[in-house]
Amino acid sequence: MYSHPTDSTQWKKFDDEFPEFGKESRNIRLGLAIDGINLFGNMSMNHISWPVLLVIYNLPLDLCMKRKYIMLSMMISGPKQPGNDINIYLSPLIEDLKLMWD
C-alpha cells in the first residue's frame, strides 16, 4: 500500500497552523532527505559522501519520487559522517529557503 506525505499528521498539523500556505497553488512543499554512501565501494577507505536531496511533495505520488523531480541541493563529503555538525553544512540551504519564503 502506498502512502503520500499529505496523509501524515505533520502535514495536517502544518495545514492547521498555516492555512493560507496550502491555499496558494504556487507554494512548494519540500522534503529533505540525507543519507551517507561510500562512492568507491571500498569499506576500508575513510571517505564518505552525503547527498542532500530535496523532494517536491506537491506532486502526485507516482511523480514525487521520480528522479527528475528530486533535486540534489548539495553533497557533503569528507573522511567521516557529519553527525551533529550537519547543521553547519545545511545552514546555507536553510538560509536560501528562508529567503525564498519571504
Side-chain angles (χ1 to χ4, degrees):
M1 183 169 83
Y2 290 112
S3 176
H4 195 277
T6 58
D7 300 332
S8 70
T9 57
Q10 288 300 322
W11 191 295
K12 289 175 179 57
K13 182 179 176 183
F14 185 86
D15 283 342
D16 290 341
E17 194 168 331
F18 303 101
E20 68 281 351
F21 185 86
K23 292 177 184 173
E24 176 61 55
S25 61
R26 293 177 292 175
N27 289 338
I28 298 174
R29 295 177 188 245
L30 298 173
L32 182 70
I34 302 171
D35 194 14
I37 57 173
N38 186 334
L39 294 176
F40 305 107
N42 185 354
M43 297 309 286
S44 63
M45 270 186 88
N46 283 352
H47 188 82
I48 192 164
S49 296
W50 288 74
V52 179
L53 306 170
L54 289 174
V55 181
I56 303 171
Y57 282 148
N58 291 60
L59 302 171
L61 181 61
D62 58 333
L63 292 180
C64 74
M65 292 302 169
K66 299 273 187 196
R67 186 185 333 182
K68 66 181 180 178
Y69 299 111
I70 298 176
M71 299 171 279
L72 177 64
S73 61
M74 72 175 65
M75 184 73 106
I76 303 170
S77 63
K80 60 180 182 155
Q81 65 184 15
N84 291 335
D85 296 330
I86 198 161
N87 57 352
I88 295 169
Y89 297 102
L90 294 179
S91 61
L93 174 64
I94 301 301
E95 289 174 16
D96 287 347
L97 291 173
K98 284 182 177 179
L99 183 63
M100 288 190 298
W101 176 273
D102 293 333

